């Protein structure tokens, strides 16, 4: 391997999402932020077509060539190879390379470790091959890679947050126009706290795709009466009456209500009305659990244990669902007490270990 190429190290973070869940692929709004946990890629180009991948965290390697890239059942290489495949598919001229991956975004916790890896890889490739890709194109490339190499029809929120994050801010993204706005996140006296249920459901990806289809089915039915409707973004509560299947109606009702909640929630944040915002977090959880049915008993348990605590203004499951974390808005001075109460309840009532940590909002991905 040649020594003449310089080595590039990139970093791209995981994300949280304050409100606006399962709205991105319905052309709605989301309100994510990057966190201070990230994936890192060390990339060195080669003069041949060999691809050598190393996972520091799994202590594993994987080899292939530019001409034979394909999804693998090994899992972790897919997030690196998927974006390379996308670039090759667009006709980008690449050489072989060696890429080492590591990071501290917990996998399967709903903090989007996969988008963090894809974005770190894209940032490194963009730099190494002087591709001058706009950040939004990178986000779309990561999204397409996830569709093709992980088989999950995700929306754009996760790579967007990983690439566009800004310390001290949440980002309101309109997933239809892709226009976004940085909203300062003050939350004086309160912190965002994650409770990691430790549940990694294998159902998550297949059920995710099913939810997406159910939303499309609802739109198709409404469209027969309202041809102008393109997505659930255009649907009003009143139009839901045209959906005949009660299950599909529930799915769509959740999304329509969630978009509305997000817009009102942003107004709450502008007014520093954290109490009103927290109440919306609980409503989001109820919708995700009962109407959209992407929660699980452990996530419901964690939200129900948070709800009666005066120090907690809001709690809800976060991300795709079926496991991962709950997001809690907790009084800063009471975080230790919250941690104690939650871990004890999880252990005594479910005999499970709970990880509780404060989510710090950080900057989006960059070259190190
Ligand atoms: C996952 C997907 C996102 C989004 C969320 C739910 O994290 O990757 O695109 O749909 O679920 O809001």
């Amino acid at each position: 391997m040649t020594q003449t190429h310089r080595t590039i190290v990139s970093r791209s973070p995981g994300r949280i999402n304050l409100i606006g869940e399962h709205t991105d692929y319905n052309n709605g709004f989301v309100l994510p932020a990057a966190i201070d946990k990230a994936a890192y890629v060390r990339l060195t180009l080669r003069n041949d077509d060999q691809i050598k991948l190393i996972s520091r965290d799994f202590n594993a390697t994987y080899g292939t060539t530019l001409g034979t890239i394909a999804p693998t059942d090994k899992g972790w290489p897919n997030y690196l190879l998927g974006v390379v495949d996308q670039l090759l598919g667009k006709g980008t001229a690449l050489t072989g390379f060696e890429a080492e991956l590591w990071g501290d975004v917990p996998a399967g916790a709903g903090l989007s470790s996969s988008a963090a890896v894809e974005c770190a890889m894209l940032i490194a490739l963009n730099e190494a091959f002087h591709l001058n890709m706009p950040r939004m194109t990178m986000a779309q490339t990561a999204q397409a890679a996830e569709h093709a190499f992980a088989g999950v029809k995700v929306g754009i929120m996760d790579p967007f947050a990983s690439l566009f994050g800004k310390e001290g801010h949440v980002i309101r993204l309109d997933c239809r126009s892709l226009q976004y706005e940085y909203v300062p996140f003050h939350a004086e006296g309160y912190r965002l706290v994650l409770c990691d249920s430790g549940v990694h459901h294998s159902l998550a990806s297949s059920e995710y795709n099913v939810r997406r289809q159910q939303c499309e089915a609802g739109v198709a039915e409404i469209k027969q009466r309202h041809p102008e409707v393109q997505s659930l973004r255009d649907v009003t509560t009143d139009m839901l009456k045209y959906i005949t299947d009660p299950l599909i109606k529930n799915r769509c009702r959740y999304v329509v209500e969630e978009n509305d909640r997000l817009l009102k929630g942003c107004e709450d944040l502008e007014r520093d009305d954290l109490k009103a915002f927290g109440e919306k977090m609980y409503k989001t959880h109820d919708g995700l659990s009962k109407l959209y049915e992407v929660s699980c008993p452990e996530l419901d348990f964690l939200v129900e244990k948070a709800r009666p605590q005066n120090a907690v203004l809001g709690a809800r499951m976060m991300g795709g669902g079926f496991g991962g974390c709950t997001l809690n808005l907790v009084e800063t001075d009471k975080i230790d007490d919250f941690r104690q109460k939650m871990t004890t309840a999880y252990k005594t009532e479910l005999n499970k270990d709970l990880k509780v940590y404060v989510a710090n909002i950080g900057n989006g991905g960059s070259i190190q």
Side-chain angles (χ1 to χ4, degrees):
M1 179 176 164
T2 177
Q3 294 302 314
T4 53
H5 291 294
R6 117 185 126 102
T7 293
I8 288 163
V9 179
S10 63
R11 169 200 166 275
S12 212
R15 62 103 188 89
I16 52 172
N17 183 28
L18 263 68
I19 198 162
E21 217 64 90
H22 286 275
T23 43
D24 58 354
Y25 54 86
N26 286 304
N27 274 345
F29 298 94
V30 290
L31 196 65
I35 55 173
D36 60 352
K37 294 182 190 299
Y40 298 81
V41 168
R42 182 193 304 279
L43 184 79
T44 311
L45 300 189
R46 298 173 56 109
N47 291 330
D48 56 18
D49 68 347
Q50 298 293 308
I51 296 177
K52 307 266 181 223
L53 305 179
I54 303 162
S55 165
R56 213 187 266 184
D57 301 328
F58 292 129
N59 195 17
T61 59
Y62 187 81
T64 184
T65 67
L66 279 177
T68 55
I69 288 182
T72 147
D73 56 13
K74 294 227 178 327
W76 66 269
N78 288 333
Y79 301 100
L80 300 167
L81 296 175
V83 295
V84 177
D85 185 61
Q86 288 298 317
L87 294 181
L88 291 172
K90 287 184 199 159
T92 315
L94 303 177
T95 63
F97 57 83
E98 182 173 308
E100 184 180 6
L101 168 69
W102 71 98
D104 59 0
V105 188
L111 299 174
S112 197
S113 59
S114 54
V117 171
E118 289 154 356
C119 293
M121 187 63 178
L122 277 168
I123 290 169
L125 291 167
N126 184 56
E127 177 82 5
F129 291 103
H130 311 289
L131 302 178
N132 289 321
M133 285 177 88
R135 289 247 154 172
M136 198 59 92
T137 309
M138 283 195 207
Q140 288 163 327
T141 305
Q143 182 189 11
E146 188 97 12
H147 289 193
F149 269 52
V152 193
K153 299 277 180 201
V154 292
I156 200 162
M157 171 170 74
D158 301 349
F160 170 82
S162 187
L163 290 161
F164 286 81
K166 186 168 161 184
E167 204 179 332
H169 293 76
V170 294
I171 325 169
R172 189 174 79 174
L173 172 68
D174 177 338
C175 299
R176 181 165 65 185
S177 67
L178 295 183
Q179 283 182 337
Y180 58 92
E181 189 188 341
Y182 288 101
V183 181
F185 187 69
H186 301 301
E188 202 76 35
Y190 286 84
R191 299 299 298 271
L192 293 164
V193 181
L194 295 163
C195 290
D196 185 350
S197 68
V199 179
H200 304 176
H201 262 256
S202 53
L203 267 183
S205 37
S206 58
E207 284 297 314
Y208 186 96
N209 291 345
V210 169
R211 292 300 174 283
R212 202 173 168 143
Q213 285 160 9
Q214 289 168 333
C215 292
E216 283 161 13
V219 169
E221 211 170 356
I222 294 171
K223 222 176 155 84
Q224 291 170 10
R225 307 291 188 113
H226 289 274
E228 73 282 7
V229 164
Q230 298 297 322
S231 67
L232 286 179
R233 170 72 175 274
D234 309 317
V235 170
T236 61
T237 314
D238 185 54
M239 289 179 196
L240 293 170
K241 65 185 178 224
Y242 299 124
I243 303 176
T244 41
D245 182 331
L247 186 85
I248 305 274
K249 193 187 281 194
N250 279 347
R251 304 295 193 243
C252 295
R253 178 179 301 284
Y254 161 74
V255 174
V256 170
E257 289 177 356
E258 180 71 350
N259 266 324
D260 183 53
R261 252 192 306 270
L262 183 144
L263 294 175
K264 296 204 171 102
C266 287
E267 291 168 16
D268 296 338
L269 289 182
E270 272 156 34
R271 285 197 314 270
D272 279 332
D273 189 347
L274 291 180
K275 196 165 180 300
F277 187 82
E279 278 157 18
K280 292 187 178 60
M281 291 172 74
Y282 285 125
K283 292 227 166 73
T284 291
H285 184 80
D286 295 341
L288 286 167
S289 179
K290 299 196 177 81
L291 297 176
Y292 217 64
E293 295 184 280
V294 291
S295 187
C296 65
E298 292 84 351
L299 292 171
D300 289 344
F301 175 89
L302 291 170
V303 170
E304 289 325 309
K305 286 291 158 188
R307 216 185 278 260
Q309 298 183 42
N310 289 334
V312 185
L313 292 186
R316 66 176 194 83
M317 59 147 281
M318 194 183 68
F322 302 102
C325 289
T326 61
L327 180 70
N328 304 265
L329 188 53
V330 186
E331 211 178 316
T332 311
D333 295 344
K334 303 281 169 52
I335 290 176
D336 286 342
D337 179 54
F338 172 74
R339 177 182 284 116
Q340 176 68 34
K341 282 191 174 125
M342 298 301 286
T343 48
T344 305
Y346 210 54
K347 191 71 192 173
T348 50
E349 294 180 52
L350 299 191
N351 195 24
K352 289 187 176 210
D353 295 321
L354 184 70
K355 287 198 203 87
V356 179
Y357 40 88
V358 173
N360 294 309
I361 297 182
N363 285 322
S366 60
I367 293 293
Q368 290 298 91

